[in-house]
Amino acid sequence: MSGAIEKRSDQACYGGRMGFYTHASRETGTAMKFGVYLPPQAATRRVAALYYLAGLTCTEETFLIKAGAQRVAAELGIALVACDTSPRGLNLPGEADSWDFGLAAGFYLDATQDPWKANYRMGSYINEELPALIEANFPVIEAKRGIFGHSMGGHGALVTALRNPDRWQSVSAFAPISNPVAVPWGQKAFGNYLGADQSTWEQYDATLLIRKNPYPGLLLVDQGLADNFLNRELKPENLDAAARASGQRLSLRLHADYDHSYWFIQSFIADHLKHHATQLGV
């Protein structure tokens, strides 16, 4: 089921097209917004698609406006897809009480607890509904699908690929929440979305998933050492230890002076797109 999409805007960009769209989501039961950058190559052939998951407080526009990725995507011939970070317009109790839970903080999982379980289904939205929508409406190749993200979105990208390696041929992350069961952001989100049984949290923790079933490809993770959230929330050292224990191929790059901002992402975005181009064979 592809669904109808509404075009909100469309502009020329680096020889390609930058468009923003809305559709009615069956997974969230709401209107969901997303953006697609089509490189110039997409005018004559299908191209690989790289999906980006943003972090807390962000929207479908954040990455596509701030990261400076379109220039490199145009050179490599890769489409970029970015979606919103949670359902919106529900007005659920407690949804907007804090910046790190609820609105704009869907954590890319399928909630199992009330009042979230009917609509907060970002896991299935990212893994199934959105790719099906994109592949039905844009000139992209189904078998060349990559995923990456930042912070909460880095968590989402790693977990989505680890849980569904047959669907995602490449993956990378900027400053991901690497071990959410062990940090306040993850504990708050998982406790509310998934409930008190912490054994159910493990299916959305990249560090724990890698220990059980390593991803078949190379993971690229960049982390700034001046990141204010590094020690409290991100825990890349736990991801690294898990990769070493399981034999997961991981390139964890630590960068002095860089923080959690999009200035950090801008600085290394070209490396990530080239990583995906290599893994996707484009």
Side-chain angles (χ1 to χ4, degrees), residues 5 7 24 53 79 87 94 105 121 123 128 135 153 163 206 215 234 236 256 261:
I5 63 173
K7 183 187 293 184
L53 308 183
R121 295 185 50 79
E128 299 171 8
E135 288 157 10
R163 285 166 54 93
Y215 181 74
L234 305 181
S261 70

Side-chain angles (χ1 to χ4, degrees), residues 29-254:
T30 66
M32 290 293 290
K33 295 179 178 180
F34 64 93
V36 177
Y37 175 67
L38 292 176
Q41 295 87 343
T44 57
R45 61 176 173 84
R46 291 185 175 271
V47 296
L50 181 54
Y51 292 72
Y52 180 86
L53 308 183
L56 295 164
T57 75
C58 295
T59 73
E60 79 285 355
E61 294 183 343
T62 310
F63 169 78
L64 293 168
I65 292 174
K66 290 186 173 183
Q70 288 89 339
R71 178 183 61 80
V72 183
E75 293 172 358
L76 296 172
I78 295 176
L80 301 174
V81 182
C83 67
D84 208 346
T85 47
S86 79
R88 296 183 190 261
L90 295 166
N91 298 314
L92 297 175
E95 186 180 43
D97 288 354
S98 57
W99 67 275
D100 57 358
F101 175 75
L103 197 63
F107 271 81
Y108 306 105
L109 53 75
D110 289 346
T112 60
Q113 304 299 302
D114 289 326
W116 316 103
K117 64 182 181 182
N119 307 101
Y120 274 69
R121 295 185 50 79
M122 293 299 293
S124 290
Y125 180 75
I126 293 299
N127 188 54
E128 299 171 8
E129 184 176 9
L130 184 60
L133 187 77
I134 298 301
E135 288 157 10
N137 289 280
F138 298 91
V140 299
I141 304 170
E142 293 183 17
K144 293 185 182 294
R145 193 188 292 133
I147 191 165
F148 68 150
H150 172 231
S151 194
M152 177 185 73
H155 140 77
L158 293 173
V159 166
T160 299
L162 285 162
R163 285 166 54 93
N164 307 279
D166 56 323
R167 289 182 58 77
W168 301 95
Q169 288 74 47
S170 64
V171 60
S172 70
F174 294 95
I177 307 171
S178 295
N179 193 189
V181 304
V183 302
W185 276 345
Q187 292 162 357
K188 180 177 184 177
F190 291 1
N192 282 285
Y193 291 138
L194 302 176
D197 181 2
Q198 296 190 14
S199 66
T200 66
W201 301 3
E202 297 177 3
Q203 62 184 312
Y204 294 111
D205 186 297
T207 292
L208 300 181
L209 290 171
I210 279 176
R211 288 187 177 275
K212 294 180 180 179
N213 293 296
Y215 181 74
L218 171 66
L219 306 183
L220 172 62
V221 174
D222 277 317
Q223 175 64 60
L225 294 177
D227 191 318
N228 290 338
F229 303 111
L230 176 59
N231 296 322
R232 177 179 168 87
E233 303 286 4
L234 305 181
K235 305 290 186 184
E237 67 276 10
N238 294 359
L239 187 74
D240 187 48
R244 293 177 186 277
S246 68
Q248 171 69 61
R249 289 192 294 146
L250 169 66
S251 176
L252 173 61
R253 309 192 308 179
L254 305 176

